[in-house]
Amino acid sequence: QVQLVESGGGLVQAGGSLRLSCAASGRTFSRYAMGWFRQAPGKEREFVAAIRWDAGFTYYSDSVKGRFTISRDNAKNTLYLQMNSLKPDDTAVYYCAAAVSRVVVTATREYDYWGQGTQVTVSS
């Protein structure tokens, strides 16, 4: 089992940057595929980015490709999301999630563990 805690959210102007972190408990972090999701008010939770257990493969939604970068440090049990060129449409609660999988997964239902989320607000 793994527990996830996100941090790094906040208020930023359009065009700015933020880096989210997700600290994982336990000694088996490297066994999990990891992902970032987000949920805006009144909308369903949506996939943002995912990374394979060894960081050898990453995948992004079209809406963030080229602006966001997902990475992980297995030695530190930490997942990251570098967000650049932020837009007001990026405003949402951002969640990290862990999947018991050796490959990248993108569907919400495929993830086994979730953090509590961190708010990102982008002002215009």
Short mmCIF file of all heavy atoms in Angstrom, two decimals, residues 66-117:
data_model
loop_
_atom_site.label_atom_id
_atom_site.label_comp_id
_atom_site.label_asym_id
_atom_site.label_seq_id
_atom_site.Cartn_x
_atom_site.Cartn_y
_atom_site.Cartn_z
N GLY A 66 3.69 19.65 -24.17
CA GLY A 66 4.55 20.76 -24.52
C GLY A 66 4.64 21.85 -23.46
O GLY A 66 5.53 22.71 -23.52
N ARG A 67 3.75 21.80 -22.47
CA ARG A 67 3.78 22.80 -21.38
C ARG A 67 4.10 22.16 -20.03
O ARG A 67 4.74 22.79 -19.19
CB ARG A 67 2.43 23.52 -21.29
CG ARG A 67 2.03 24.26 -22.54
CD ARG A 67 0.77 25.10 -22.31
NE ARG A 67 -0.39 24.28 -21.97
CZ ARG A 67 -1.10 24.41 -20.85
NH1 ARG A 67 -0.77 25.34 -19.96
NH2 ARG A 67 -2.15 23.63 -20.62
N PHE A 68 3.65 20.95 -19.83
CA PHE A 68 3.85 20.24 -18.56
C PHE A 68 4.87 19.12 -18.73
O PHE A 68 4.95 18.51 -19.80
CB PHE A 68 2.54 19.63 -18.06
CG PHE A 68 1.49 20.60 -17.61
CD1 PHE A 68 1.61 21.97 -17.82
CD2 PHE A 68 0.36 20.14 -16.95
CE1 PHE A 68 0.63 22.86 -17.41
CE2 PHE A 68 -0.63 21.00 -16.53
CZ PHE A 68 -0.50 22.37 -16.76
N THR A 69 5.61 18.85 -17.66
CA THR A 69 6.57 17.75 -17.66
C THR A 69 6.41 16.93 -16.39
O THR A 69 6.50 17.48 -15.28
CB THR A 69 8.01 18.25 -17.76
OG1 THR A 69 8.15 19.04 -18.94
CG2 THR A 69 8.99 17.09 -17.80
N ILE A 70 6.18 15.64 -16.55
CA ILE A 70 6.08 14.74 -15.41
C ILE A 70 7.43 14.06 -15.22
O ILE A 70 8.11 13.72 -16.19
CB ILE A 70 4.96 13.69 -15.62
CG1 ILE A 70 4.75 12.88 -14.34
CG2 ILE A 70 5.25 12.80 -16.82
CD1 ILE A 70 3.51 11.96 -14.41
N SER A 71 7.82 13.88 -13.97
CA SER A 71 9.07 13.20 -13.67
C SER A 71 8.95 12.54 -12.31
O SER A 71 8.00 12.80 -11.57
CB SER A 71 10.25 14.18 -13.68
OG SER A 71 10.09 15.19 -12.70
N ARG A 72 9.91 11.69 -11.99
CA ARG A 72 9.89 11.00 -10.71
C ARG A 72 11.31 10.76 -10.24
O ARG A 72 12.23 10.61 -11.05
CB ARG A 72 9.12 9.68 -10.80
CG ARG A 72 9.76 8.64 -11.67
CD ARG A 72 8.83 7.46 -11.90
NE ARG A 72 8.52 6.75 -10.66
CZ ARG A 72 7.50 5.88 -10.54
NH1 ARG A 72 6.71 5.64 -11.58
NH2 ARG A 72 7.29 5.26 -9.39
N ASP A 73 11.47 10.70 -8.94
CA ASP A 73 12.74 10.36 -8.32
C ASP A 73 12.46 9.18 -7.39
O ASP A 73 11.94 9.38 -6.28
CB ASP A 73 13.30 11.56 -7.55
CG ASP A 73 14.69 11.30 -7.00
OD1 ASP A 73 15.05 10.11 -6.79
OD2 ASP A 73 15.41 12.27 -6.77
N ASN A 74 12.76 7.99 -7.85
CA ASN A 74 12.44 6.81 -7.06
C ASN A 74 13.26 6.72 -5.77
O ASN A 74 12.81 6.14 -4.79
CB ASN A 74 12.63 5.54 -7.90
CG ASN A 74 11.53 5.37 -8.92
OD1 ASN A 74 10.48 6.00 -8.86
ND2 ASN A 74 11.77 4.49 -9.89
N ALA A 75 14.43 7.31 -5.77
CA ALA A 75 15.25 7.31 -4.56
C ALA A 75 14.63 8.19 -3.47
O ALA A 75 14.84 7.94 -2.28
CB ALA A 75 16.66 7.79 -4.87
N LYS A 76 13.86 9.19 -3.89
CA LYS A 76 13.21 10.10 -2.94
C LYS A 76 11.72 9.82 -2.78
O LYS A 76 11.02 10.55 -2.09
CB LYS A 76 13.41 11.55 -3.39
CG LYS A 76 14.85 12.01 -3.37
CD LYS A 76 14.96 13.48 -3.76
CE LYS A 76 16.40 13.96 -3.69
NZ LYS A 76 16.54 15.39 -4.07
N ASN A 77 11.24 8.78 -3.46
CA ASN A 77 9.81 8.45 -3.39
C ASN A 77 8.92 9.64 -3.74
O ASN A 77 7.91 9.92 -3.07
CB ASN A 77 9.43 7.94 -1.99
CG ASN A 77 9.86 6.51 -1.76
OD1 ASN A 77 10.56 5.92 -2.58
ND2 ASN A 77 9.48 5.94 -0.63
N THR A 78 9.30 10.36 -4.78
CA THR A 78 8.59 11.60 -5.11
C THR A 78 8.29 11.68 -6.60
O THR A 78 9.13 11.36 -7.43
CB THR A 78 9.39 12.83 -4.67
OG1 THR A 78 9.69 12.73 -3.27
CG2 THR A 78 8.60 14.11 -4.90
N LEU A 79 7.09 12.15 -6.88
CA LEU A 79 6.62 12.41 -8.23
C LEU A 79 6.50 13.92 -8.40
O LEU A 79 6.15 14.63 -7.45
CB LEU A 79 5.25 11.76 -8.43
CG LEU A 79 4.52 12.00 -9.75
CD1 LEU A 79 5.21 11.21 -10.87
CD2 LEU A 79 3.06 11.61 -9.63
N TYR A 80 6.78 14.40 -9.60
CA TYR A 80 6.73 15.84 -9.87
C TYR A 80 5.88 16.14 -11.10
O TYR A 80 5.72 15.30 -11.99
CB TYR A 80 8.13 16.40 -10.11
CG TYR A 80 9.10 16.16 -8.99
CD1 TYR A 80 10.02 15.12 -9.07
CD2 TYR A 80 9.11 16.97 -7.86
CE1 TYR A 80 10.92 14.88 -8.03
CE2 TYR A 80 10.01 16.74 -6.82
CZ TYR A 80 10.90 15.70 -6.92
OH TYR A 80 11.79 15.48 -5.89
N LEU A 81 5.38 17.37 -11.13
CA LEU A 81 4.74 17.89 -12.34
C LEU A 81 5.17 19.34 -12.49
O LEU A 81 4.74 20.20 -11.72
CB LEU A 81 3.22 17.78 -12.26
CG LEU A 81 2.50 18.21 -13.55
CD1 LEU A 81 2.78 17.20 -14.67
CD2 LEU A 81 0.99 18.32 -13.32
N GLN A 82 6.03 19.59 -13.46
CA GLN A 82 6.45 20.96 -13.79
C GLN A 82 5.44 21.52 -14.77
O GLN A 82 5.24 20.95 -15.85
CB GLN A 82 7.84 20.95 -14.39
CG GLN A 82 8.34 22.33 -14.80
CD GLN A 82 8.55 23.26 -13.64
OE1 GLN A 82 9.09 22.86 -12.61
NE2 GLN A 82 8.09 24.51 -13.77
N MET A 83 4.83 22.63 -14.40
CA MET A 83 3.79 23.24 -15.22
C MET A 83 4.25 24.62 -15.66
O MET A 83 4.45 25.51 -14.82
CB MET A 83 2.48 23.34 -14.44
CG MET A 83 2.02 22.00 -13.87
SD MET A 83 0.40 22.09 -13.09
CE MET A 83 0.75 23.19 -11.72
N ASN A 84 4.41 24.80 -16.96
CA ASN A 84 4.84 26.09 -17.53
C ASN A 84 3.74 26.65 -18.42
O ASN A 84 2.83 25.94 -18.82
CB ASN A 84 6.12 25.89 -18.33
CG ASN A 84 7.28 25.40 -17.50
OD1 ASN A 84 7.39 25.70 -16.30
ND2 ASN A 84 8.17 24.64 -18.11
N SER A 85 3.85 27.92 -18.72
CA SER A 85 2.88 28.58 -19.61
C SER A 85 1.45 28.29 -19.17
O SER A 85 0.59 27.93 -19.98
CB SER A 85 3.10 28.12 -21.05
OG SER A 85 4.42 28.40 -21.48
N LEU A 86 1.20 28.48 -17.91
CA LEU A 86 -0.11 28.14 -17.36
C LEU A 86 -1.20 29.05 -17.91
O LEU A 86 -0.97 30.23 -18.19
CB LEU A 86 -0.07 28.22 -15.84
CG LEU A 86 0.60 27.01 -15.16
CD1 LEU A 86 1.03 27.35 -13.74
CD2 LEU A 86 -0.33 25.83 -15.17
N LYS A 87 -2.38 28.46 -18.06
CA LYS A 87 -3.54 29.15 -18.59
C LYS A 87 -4.67 29.10 -17.55
O LYS A 87 -4.70 28.18 -16.72
CB LYS A 87 -4.01 28.46 -19.87
CG LYS A 87 -2.97 28.30 -20.94
CD LYS A 87 -3.51 27.46 -22.09
CE LYS A 87 -2.47 27.25 -23.16
NZ LYS A 87 -3.00 26.42 -24.29
N PRO A 88 -5.62 30.02 -17.62
CA PRO A 88 -6.76 29.95 -16.69
C PRO A 88 -7.49 28.61 -16.76
O PRO A 88 -8.01 28.14 -15.74
CB PRO A 88 -7.64 31.10 -17.16
CG PRO A 88 -6.67 32.11 -17.72
CD PRO A 88 -5.61 31.28 -18.39
N ASP A 89 -7.52 27.97 -17.93
CA ASP A 89 -8.17 26.67 -18.07
C ASP A 89 -7.46 25.57 -17.30
O ASP A 89 -8.02 24.48 -17.13
CB ASP A 89 -8.26 26.27 -19.54
CG ASP A 89 -9.35 27.03 -20.29
OD1 ASP A 89 -10.16 27.71 -19.62
OD2 ASP A 89 -9.38 26.96 -21.52
N ASP A 90 -6.25 25.83 -16.84
CA ASP A 90 -5.54 24.83 -16.03
C ASP A 90 -5.98 24.86 -14.57
O ASP A 90 -5.54 24.02 -13.78
CB ASP A 90 -4.02 25.08 -16.10
CG ASP A 90 -3.46 24.88 -17.50
OD1 ASP A 90 -3.86 23.90 -18.17
OD2 ASP A 90 -2.61 25.70 -17.91
N THR A 91 -6.81 25.82 -14.21
CA THR A 91 -7.29 25.91 -12.84
C THR A 91 -8.07 24.66 -12.45
O THR A 91 -9.03 24.28 -13.14
CB THR A 91 -8.18 27.15 -12.67
OG1 THR A 91 -7.38 28.33 -12.87
CG2 THR A 91 -8.80 27.20 -11.28
N ALA A 92 -7.65 24.02 -11.37
CA ALA A 92 -8.28 22.76 -10.93
C ALA A 92 -7.60 22.28 -9.66
O ALA A 92 -6.55 22.83 -9.26
CB ALA A 92 -8.14 21.69 -12.01
N VAL A 93 -8.18 21.28 -9.06
CA VAL A 93 -7.49 20.53 -8.02
C VAL A 93 -6.70 19.42 -8.72
O VAL A 93 -7.26 18.69 -9.53
CB VAL A 93 -8.47 19.92 -7.00
CG1 VAL A 93 -7.71 19.08 -5.98
CG2 VAL A 93 -9.26 21.02 -6.30
N TYR A 94 -5.42 19.34 -8.41
CA TYR A 94 -4.54 18.36 -9.05
C TYR A 94 -4.27 17.22 -8.08
O TYR A 94 -3.93 17.44 -6.91
CB TYR A 94 -3.23 19.02 -9.46
CG TYR A 94 -3.38 19.84 -10.72
CD1 TYR A 94 -4.08 21.04 -10.72
CD2 TYR A 94 -2.83 19.40 -11.93
CE1 TYR A 94 -4.24 21.78 -11.87
CE2 TYR A 94 -2.98 20.14 -13.09
CZ TYR A 94 -3.69 21.32 -13.06
OH TYR A 94 -3.84 22.06 -14.21
N TYR A 95 -4.41 16.00 -8.60
CA TYR A 95 -4.24 14.79 -7.81
C TYR A 95 -3.11 13.94 -8.39
O TYR A 95 -3.02 13.80 -9.61
CB TYR A 95 -5.51 13.95 -7.82
CG TYR A 95 -6.73 14.61 -7.25
CD1 TYR A 95 -7.56 15.38 -8.06
CD2 TYR A 95 -7.06 14.47 -5.91
CE1 TYR A 95 -8.69 16.00 -7.54
CE2 TYR A 95 -8.18 15.07 -5.38
CZ TYR A 95 -9.00 15.84 -6.20
OH TYR A 95 -10.11 16.44 -5.68
N CYS A 96 -2.32 13.36 -7.52
CA CYS A 96 -1.42 12.32 -7.98
C CYS A 96 -2.02 10.97 -7.64
O CYS A 96 -2.83 10.84 -6.71
CB CYS A 96 -0.02 12.46 -7.39
SG CYS A 96 0.12 12.14 -5.62
N ALA A 97 -1.63 9.96 -8.42
CA ALA A 97 -2.20 8.64 -8.24
C ALA A 97 -1.17 7.58 -8.58
O ALA A 97 -0.26 7.82 -9.39
CB ALA A 97 -3.44 8.48 -9.12
N ALA A 98 -1.33 6.41 -7.98
CA ALA A 98 -0.42 5.29 -8.19
C ALA A 98 -1.19 4.09 -8.70
O ALA A 98 -2.27 3.77 -8.19
CB ALA A 98 0.30 4.94 -6.89
N ALA A 99 -0.61 3.43 -9.68
CA ALA A 99 -1.22 2.24 -10.27
C ALA A 99 -0.27 1.05 -10.15
O ALA A 99 0.92 1.20 -10.45
CB ALA A 99 -1.57 2.49 -11.72
N VAL A 100 -0.82 -0.08 -9.77
CA VAL A 100 -0.02 -1.28 -9.72
C VAL A 100 0.10 -1.78 -11.16
O VAL A 100 -0.68 -2.62 -11.62
CB VAL A 100 -0.66 -2.35 -8.81
CG1 VAL A 100 0.22 -3.60 -8.77
CG2 VAL A 100 -0.86 -1.79 -7.41
N SER A 101 1.07 -1.25 -11.86
CA SER A 101 1.21 -1.54 -13.28
C SER A 101 2.66 -1.31 -13.70
O SER A 101 3.32 -0.40 -13.21
CB SER A 101 0.29 -0.63 -14.09
OG SER A 101 0.55 -0.76 -15.48
N ARG A 102 3.11 -2.14 -14.64
CA ARG A 102 4.46 -1.96 -15.19
C ARG A 102 4.45 -1.07 -16.42
O ARG A 102 5.51 -0.75 -16.97
CB ARG A 102 5.07 -3.32 -15.54
CG ARG A 102 5.16 -4.27 -14.38
CD ARG A 102 6.08 -3.75 -13.29
NE ARG A 102 7.48 -4.01 -13.57
CZ ARG A 102 8.48 -3.64 -12.77
NH1 ARG A 102 8.22 -2.99 -11.65
NH2 ARG A 102 9.72 -3.93 -13.09
N VAL A 103 3.27 -0.69 -16.86
CA VAL A 103 3.16 0.18 -18.03
C VAL A 103 2.41 1.45 -17.64
O VAL A 103 1.74 1.50 -16.61
CB VAL A 103 2.45 -0.52 -19.20
CG1 VAL A 103 3.24 -1.76 -19.62
CG2 VAL A 103 1.01 -0.89 -18.85
N VAL A 104 2.51 2.45 -18.49
CA VAL A 104 1.79 3.70 -18.26
C VAL A 104 0.30 3.46 -18.43
O VAL A 104 -0.11 2.78 -19.37
CB VAL A 104 2.30 4.77 -19.25
CG1 VAL A 104 1.35 5.95 -19.29
CG2 VAL A 104 3.69 5.23 -18.85
N VAL A 105 -0.49 4.01 -17.53
CA VAL A 105 -1.94 3.91 -17.64
C VAL A 105 -2.54 5.30 -17.54
O VAL A 105 -1.99 6.19 -16.89
CB VAL A 105 -2.53 2.99 -16.55
CG1 VAL A 105 -2.08 1.56 -16.80
CG2 VAL A 105 -2.09 3.42 -15.15
N THR A 106 -3.70 5.48 -18.20
CA THR A 106 -4.29 6.81 -18.28
C THR A 106 -5.71 6.90 -17.73
O THR A 106 -6.20 7.99 -17.50
CB THR A 106 -4.30 7.31 -19.73
OG1 THR A 106 -5.12 6.43 -20.51
CG2 THR A 106 -2.90 7.36 -20.31
N ALA A 107 -6.36 5.78 -17.55
CA ALA A 107 -7.75 5.80 -17.09
C ALA A 107 -7.82 5.89 -15.57
O ALA A 107 -7.07 5.22 -14.86
CB ALA A 107 -8.49 4.55 -17.56
N THR A 108 -8.75 6.69 -15.10
CA THR A 108 -8.92 6.87 -13.66
C THR A 108 -9.13 5.54 -12.96
O THR A 108 -8.54 5.29 -11.90
CB THR A 108 -10.12 7.78 -13.39
OG1 THR A 108 -9.96 9.01 -14.10
CG2 THR A 108 -10.30 8.06 -11.92
N ARG A 109 -9.91 4.67 -13.53
CA ARG A 109 -10.27 3.40 -12.90
C ARG A 109 -9.07 2.46 -12.77
O ARG A 109 -9.12 1.50 -11.99
CB ARG A 109 -11.37 2.70 -13.69
CG ARG A 109 -10.95 2.24 -15.07
CD ARG A 109 -12.08 1.56 -15.82
NE ARG A 109 -11.66 1.08 -17.12
CZ ARG A 109 -11.61 1.83 -18.21
NH1 ARG A 109 -11.95 3.10 -18.14
NH2 ARG A 109 -11.22 1.32 -19.37
N GLU A 110 -8.00 2.73 -13.48
CA GLU A 110 -6.83 1.86 -13.42
C GLU A 110 -5.88 2.20 -12.28
O GLU A 110 -4.91 1.49 -12.03
CB GLU A 110 -6.08 1.92 -14.74
CG GLU A 110 -6.88 1.36 -15.91
CD GLU A 110 -6.11 1.45 -17.21
OE1 GLU A 110 -6.02 2.57 -17.77
OE2 GLU A 110 -5.61 0.42 -17.67
N TYR A 111 -6.15 3.30 -11.60
CA TYR A 111 -5.29 3.72 -10.50
C TYR A 111 -5.84 3.22 -9.17
O TYR A 111 -7.04 3.24 -8.94
CB TYR A 111 -5.13 5.24 -10.50
CG TYR A 111 -4.14 5.69 -11.56
CD1 TYR A 111 -4.54 5.85 -12.88
CD2 TYR A 111 -2.81 5.91 -11.22
CE1 TYR A 111 -3.61 6.22 -13.86
CE2 TYR A 111 -1.88 6.29 -12.19
CZ TYR A 111 -2.30 6.45 -13.50
OH TYR A 111 -1.39 6.81 -14.46
N ASP A 112 -4.92 2.80 -8.32
CA ASP A 112 -5.29 2.14 -7.08
C ASP A 112 -5.24 3.05 -5.86
O ASP A 112 -5.96 2.82 -4.89
CB ASP A 112 -4.35 0.95 -6.86
CG ASP A 112 -4.38 -0.03 -8.00
OD1 ASP A 112 -5.37 -0.78 -8.10
OD2 ASP A 112 -3.43 -0.05 -8.81
N TYR A 113 -4.38 4.05 -5.90
CA TYR A 113 -4.20 4.94 -4.75
C TYR A 113 -4.19 6.39 -5.22
O TYR A 113 -3.63 6.70 -6.28
CB TYR A 113 -2.89 4.61 -4.02
CG TYR A 113 -2.77 3.17 -3.61
CD1 TYR A 113 -2.00 2.28 -4.33
CD2 TYR A 113 -3.45 2.70 -2.48
CE1 TYR A 113 -1.90 0.95 -3.96
CE2 TYR A 113 -3.36 1.38 -2.11
CZ TYR A 113 -2.59 0.51 -2.85
OH TYR A 113 -2.50 -0.81 -2.47
N TRP A 114 -4.78 7.24 -4.38
CA TRP A 114 -4.92 8.66 -4.71
C TRP A 114 -4.51 9.54 -3.54
O TRP A 114 -4.72 9.18 -2.38
CB TRP A 114 -6.38 8.97 -5.07
CG TRP A 114 -6.83 8.30 -6.32
CD1 TRP A 114 -7.29 7.03 -6.45
CD2 TRP A 114 -6.85 8.88 -7.62
NE1 TRP A 114 -7.60 6.76 -7.77
CE2 TRP A 114 -7.35 7.90 -8.51
CE3 TRP A 114 -6.52 10.12 -8.13
CZ2 TRP A 114 -7.50 8.13 -9.88
CZ3 TRP A 114 -6.67 10.36 -9.48
CH2 TRP A 114 -7.15 9.37 -10.34
N GLY A 115 -3.96 10.70 -3.89
CA GLY A 115 -3.71 11.72 -2.87
C GLY A 115 -4.96 12.56 -2.65
O GLY A 115 -5.99 12.34 -3.29
N GLN A 116 -4.83 13.52 -1.75
CA GLN A 116 -5.97 14.38 -1.40
C GLN A 116 -6.12 15.56 -2.34
O GLN A 116 -7.17 16.23 -2.34
CB GLN A 116 -5.82 14.87 0.04
CG GLN A 116 -5.93 13.75 1.06
CD GLN A 116 -7.26 13.05 0.99
OE1 GLN A 116 -8.31 13.66 1.05
NE2 GLN A 116 -7.21 11.73 0.84
N GLY A 117 -5.11 15.86 -3.10
CA GLY A 117 -5.19 16.94 -4.07
C GLY A 117 -4.59 18.25 -3.58
O GLY A 117 -4.50 18.51 -2.39
#
